[in-house]
Amino acid sequence: MRLVLLGLPGAGKGTQGGRISEKQGIPHISTGSMIRAVIASGSKLGSVVDSYISRGHLIPDDIAIVMLKERLRMDDCSTGWILDGFPRTVAQAKHLDATLMQEGIKLDYAFDIRISEEEAIRRIEQRRMCRECGEAYHLLYYPPTQQKVCDKCSGELYQRPDDNRQTALQRLGVHMKQTHPVVHYYAQSGRLISINGEREIELVFAGVDIAFSLLLDTGCAGEVR
Ligand code: AP5
Ligand code: MG
């Protein structure tokens, strides 16, 4: 299965991507996490992409595409994958389709996790991430047992530099302008599944699971409320 997760910043792409990956046994590939790793490496490319991400802008399409293509060449991607944060522009979506077509494979579905902008801000402002394994916590909705310590791997929890209100508002604006058209791109080709993301984490995951069963039964895309 080859999937794309769409949704506003804070919608739960990382949260659901990790759970789908565990259940389906395919890698969860977050371009945001890949970019943060490049920044942490201190490379020249890291400082280039940091200048975009820290202001809430998208990194240039050509850099994002090269990063993703390199990742998809790795062995663990041979039986499928879940992309989180890619594509973020229609140009990236078209590029992905063209690349897959050259290899005789295709993207199966795009899951759009839908939440309001107000909920996105509430989730982003109180998110804490694990430096080691990338698990995302929320101080109210999904709190860690111990403050600043990851339940899964005991890594240190931190707040992403782009998780402040001002940058989050900028990211939401960029999303509506540059990324929202991607939803229509997949709807037009009958590959869009809309998921109600404004429920508890496990209920959203149950919705994703229902969508999987329906897809396997009928092959039809649609909406899971
Ligand atoms: P990225 O890291 O992908 O950030 P994003 O799209 O803004 O999404 P987030 O990671 O903020 O949210 P999420 O949907 O993963 O939510 P999460 O599961 O953590 O990208 C960062 C930047 O990199 C971009 O701004 C851009 O600059 C750049 N970039 C990345 N890819 C690019 C590309 N392809 N091209 C160009 N630039 C690119 O959940 C959020 C919070 O809510 C957590 O605290 C979680 O615990 C909580 N939560 C999750 N689900 C629920 C729920 N159902 N109920 C209650 N709380 C919940
Ligand atoms: Mg994320």
Side-chain angles (χ1 to χ4, degrees):
M1 183 79 84
R2 294 177 187 86
L3 305 173
V4 158
L5 296 180
L6 304 173
L8 288 178
K13 302 180 294 294
T15 301
Q16 298 301 327
R19 283 166 173 74
I20 300 169
S21 166
E22 265 176 40
K23 182 144 188 188
Q24 303 288 331
I26 47 179
H28 165 217
I29 299 171
S30 154
T31 42
S33 302
M34 289 165 64
I35 294 166
R36 285 184 284 280
V38 172
I39 294 171
S41 75
S43 65
K44 196 173 165 202
L45 178 63
S47 58
V48 171
V49 291
D50 194 20
S51 68
Y52 291 92
I53 192 170
S54 61
R55 289 183 294 134
H57 292 282
L58 299 184
I59 69 166
D61 279 344
D62 54 345
I63 302 181
I65 287 167
V66 167
M67 277 179 153
L68 183 81
K69 276 175 126 175
E70 276 178 17
R71 179 65 186 88
L72 292 185
R73 275 192 215 109
M74 292 184 183
D75 288 347
D76 63 338
C77 293
S78 58
T79 56
W81 30 254
I82 307 146
L83 302 187
D84 156 3
F86 193 104
R88 263 188 150 93
T89 61
V90 171
Q92 290 183 14
K94 288 183 175 170
H95 209 284
L96 180 63
D97 276 344
T99 305
L100 297 179
M101 196 193 283
Q102 276 170 9
E103 293 170 20
I105 52 180
K106 64 178 179 58
L107 176 81
D108 293 301
Y109 295 103
F111 282 66
D112 182 27
I113 306 175
R114 299 179 61 184
I115 64 166
S116 66
E117 294 201 359
E118 295 74 29
E119 177 68 4
I121 294 287
R122 278 193 287 277
R123 291 188 186 180
I124 288 171
E125 282 191 315
Q126 306 232 40
R127 171 171 48 193
R128 297 295 181 272
M129 303 278 295
C130 176
R131 257 187 221 290
E132 304 300 323
C133 71
E135 181 74 356
Y137 294 87
H138 188 281
L139 296 181
L140 288 178
Y141 302 147
Y142 181 53
T145 312
Q146 271 182 278
Q147 234 195 352
K148 297 188 180 173
V149 181
C150 177
D151 287 356
K152 287 199 163 171
C153 74
S154 302
E156 183 203 2
L157 302 186
Y158 78 107
Q159 186 167 24
R160 271 169 45 180
D162 59 341
D163 275 356
N164 58 75
R165 192 177 184 82
Q166 195 189 348
T167 314
L169 287 170
Q170 173 67 26
R171 284 157 61 199
L172 288 173
V174 166
H175 180 95
M176 290 318 291
K177 203 169 161 199
Q178 294 184 261
T179 307
H180 191 65
V182 176
V183 172
H184 297 294
Y185 176 80
Y186 288 123
Q188 279 162 4
S189 49
R191 291 175 289 177
L192 186 72
I193 318 283
S194 286
I195 302 278
N196 175 2
E198 288 215 14
R199 294 172 296 171
E200 286 170 27
I201 291 172
E202 294 312 325
L203 291 179
V204 177
F205 186 54
V208 170
D209 236 15
I210 291 171
F212 271 125
S213 322
L214 290 174
L215 291 174
L216 291 178
D217 281 357
T218 66
C220 291
E223 184 163 0
V224 178
R225 292 181 179 273

